[in-house]
Amino acid sequence: MPKPAAETSQVADFEKSLDELEQLVGRMEQGDLSLDESLQSFERGIALYRNCQGALDQAKLRVNQLLDPAAPENAQPFDPDVP
């Protein structure tokens, strides 16, 4: 069953943000940035982190809704080892 366009877009946005964040961290770790560039990179990194965290929170909510649609806040993770 194909994913809805919004879901596909969220996954693509998450992956793009995560990739950009990884590249940003790599540049910062090299230590070649000026103080101003470092601060701008840090700000961008925080924004990317928040974007990724929001996408993960939405995914968790969706999983909980799928596990227990009547009460998603009480959903228990699936454990194949428990009968």
Side-chain angles (χ1 to χ4, degrees):
M1 182 162 90
K3 294 180 184 178
E7 186 178 326
T8 303
S9 177
Q10 281 184 327
V11 170
D13 288 346
F14 171 81
E15 291 176 358
K16 181 180 174 187
S17 293
L18 186 58
D19 183 52
E20 184 180 345
L21 184 57
E22 288 173 345
Q23 291 176 21
L24 186 63
V25 168
R27 287 193 306 270
M28 291 178 74
E29 286 178 339
Q30 291 176 354
D32 297 333
L33 301 176
S34 69
L35 178 58
D36 189 49
E37 291 170 326
S38 294
L39 287 171
Q40 289 176 0
S41 295
F42 181 75
E43 284 182 51
R44 178 66 181 149
I46 292 296
L48 291 167
Y49 165 79
R50 289 180 178 154
N51 185 36
C52 289
Q53 189 61 50
L56 291 173
D57 290 343
Q58 288 298 315
K60 181 179 177 182
L61 177 62
R62 173 107 196 248
V63 168
N64 284 343
Q65 289 172 337
L66 291 169
L67 290 173
D68 190 353
E73 67 280 356
N74 296 328
Q76 296 296 316
F78 175 72
D79 185 353
D81 297 328
V82 175

